[in-house]
Amino acid sequence: MRDIAQLEKVGRQIRRDIIQMTTLAGSGHPGGSLSATDLMAALYFEIANVDPSDPMKEDRDRVIYSKAHVTPLIYSVLARRGFFDPELLKTFRKLGSPLQGHPHIHCVPGIEMSGGSLGQGISIALGTAIAGKMDRAPWRVYCLMGDGELQEGQVWEAFMAAAHYKADNLTAIIDKNGLEIDGTTKDVMDIDPLEKKLEAFGWHVIECDGHDYGQILYAFDQAKQTKGKPQAIIAHTVKGKGVSFMENNAEWHGKAPNQVEAEKALLELAD
Amino acid sequence: MEPKATRFGYSEALLMLGEKDDRIVALDADLAKSTSSARFRDKFPDRFFNMGIAEQNMVDVAAGLALSGKIPFASSYGVFVTGRAWEQMRTMVCYSKLPVRIAGHAGVSVGADGATHQALEDIAIMNVLPNMHVFSPCDYYETIKATMAAAYVDGPAYIRFGRAPIPIITEVDSPFEVGKATIMKKGSDVTVVATGTMVNEALIASADLANFGVSVEVVNLSTIKPLDGETILNSVAKTGCAVTAEEHQITGGIGSIIASFLSLNLPVPLEMVGMGDRFGESGEPFELLKHFHCNSCEIVQACLRAISRRQTSRVVL
């Protein structure tokens, strides 16, 4: 039986880490980290076959970050899952730290690949998935994507190729929070109707509330059972989720909270 | 042996690599016939992936394959595989030091397709990337060897080959080593550092100048990165002047590369033969090389200028 209450607790812990890491660093991306928190907590604590004591084990599921600017989330979820000491989170974005602003390949256990230039992770994930199919491997590939980055043309090259090569071991998790740096995706460059576009590209599309653990887990289960097609989980999310003054505000895409703001946020995120 | 395009050396090597190593995979962007990777496709269909006309995705898919233990070779026209997918090479492949090998035909000798398809900047934009290896072999045999060697270098690699048939100037068993320039002809008056198609032109220039009593040393720069500084220094220390020759923009090409190396280590008069900050155009390969001053006649003149400048500077000294 899956323990939703435990996942919610993990989610709050990760969100507190996100606030503390960005505040301490004085920079970083809290908005998109908070919107994808529940998706990654569910993936790492319930769904993905990963083992912190053997991070490179052959049959592990591969997680590739396409929206890799959400390093506060990525590093926190890995640390909290046991891949490395959470103390290291305090060095985020500091000179000499393995926790770079955007991740570098194998910088800490659990990081499969470098990332940060948008629109590329899905192609990397596809190459990984193709290799898995060549070897008839049991593992799956998960790719966390943003909705803004779907404006990159390469993403659609990858979507086309993934369906062409019937990469059914590949699941794209699209954090559809509706905001990017310059405003709403609708105003900046509309990506909708996303579901229809993905279906037209040959993907199996699953929609869910990206903050409802029951729905998220069900979406992952559906994805796993899909044969012959790559799957996209379109998760409807709120940018800045969990911190009242950050929610649905594009300003918090790439801005760190100050001390006062952080304390306010941490109060809201307390257990 | 008849002249042969170096692109066929690429596929010949892929076939040999594919035979002995299951990890070798090939990708192309709808140019499998042109790059000749189709030969690998026909022999190893399960290890070949046509990614369609989408070079950016192709290079990152290759990166994903490399992450998972494969040794991918991705080919297209040199312009597109290095230029269209440059940032993919930079941020994903080179930063992660993944064993992705890209390859393409380059230079004005690509011919009648014209400027859009003639890569003249590829050496510059690949050479600038950390962790990169850049190979520019001089003939069919050397392209086989460079491709075979590229499969196992530590990190990414670019193999520059050509589309037009060119003379074969090395032997099947001539040595080839990653990061090692080879002396094609010994000489004492001037060093010509040439790469790709221009190595043969340098040999022709060397023979022409020999008739006038000028002794030219021809260095074949088949690996541009990492640069074999030792061989170049030893040669230039002996001759006291140098000429670079390439089918590429001089700026950013081996003209710039050798100039910066020599200016730091052994400043001597240096002349450069290559494309002078302009685009190519349509024509027959060798007609174009002549038109754009990338041939033996230009190398002869550049050698004479370099020698003359060396003599002048000695007087000044």
Side-chain angles (χ1 to χ4, degrees), chain A residues 104 114 117 120 123 135 154, chain B residues 57 60 70 87-88 95-96:
Chain A
H104 187 229
S114 312
S117 171
Q120 298 195 46
S123 300
D135 297 342
Q154 183 184 340
Chain B
N57 183 51
D60 276 343
K70 308 295 178 194
E87 202 259 333
Q88 283 72 12
Y95 182 45
S96 306

Side-chain angles (χ1 to χ4, degrees), chain A residues 64 103-105 112-115 117 120 123-124 126-128 130-131 134-135 154 157-158 161 165, chain B residues 25 46-47 49-51 54 56-57 60-61 63-65 67-68 70 87-88 91-92 95-96 98:
Chain A
I64 304 288
H104 187 229
I105 186 169
E112 299 275 352
M113 181 56 186
S114 312
S117 171
Q120 298 195 46
S123 300
I124 306 276
L126 173 58
T128 308
I130 289 174
M134 285 178 78
D135 297 342
Q154 183 184 340
E157 297 179 1
Y165 283 107
Chain B
V25 297
D46 296 341
R47 286 193 267 153
F49 301 96
N50 203 325
M51 300 313 294
Q56 301 178 349
N57 183 51
D60 276 343
V61 166
L65 285 159
L67 263 186
S68 316
K70 308 295 178 194
E87 202 259 333
Q88 283 72 12
T91 310
M92 292 295 159
Y95 182 45
S96 306
L98 291 174

Side-chain angles (χ1 to χ4, degrees), chain A residues 145-151 174-179 185 191 194:
Chain A
M145 306 185 73
D147 50 356
E149 71 167 324
L150 303 184
Q151 292 154 358
I174 301 172
D175 175 19
K176 194 164 187 280
N177 61 34
L179 289 176
T185 49
I191 58 164
L194 183 56

Side-chain angles (χ1 to χ4, degrees), chain B residues 71-90:
Chain B
I71 302 176
F73 283 78
S75 51
S76 177
Y77 270 86
V79 174
F80 309 128
V81 77
T82 64
R84 189 66 164 262
W86 184 81
E87 202 259 333
Q88 283 72 12
M89 285 302 295
R90 174 195 176 271

Side-chain angles (χ1 to χ4, degrees), chain A residues 30 36 51-52 62 77 112-113 121 155-156 174 178 209 213 238 260:
Chain A
D51 182 356
R62 275 68 166 167
V77 76
E112 299 275 352
M113 181 56 186
V155 164
W156 299 91
I174 301 172
D209 175 340
Y213 282 104
V238 172
V260 177

Side-chain angles (χ1 to χ4, degrees), chain B residues 130-143:
Chain B
N131 295 332
M132 196 64 188
H133 297 77
V134 179
F135 297 105
S136 173
C138 71
D139 71 358
Y140 171 75
Y141 287 140
E142 199 171 68
T143 307

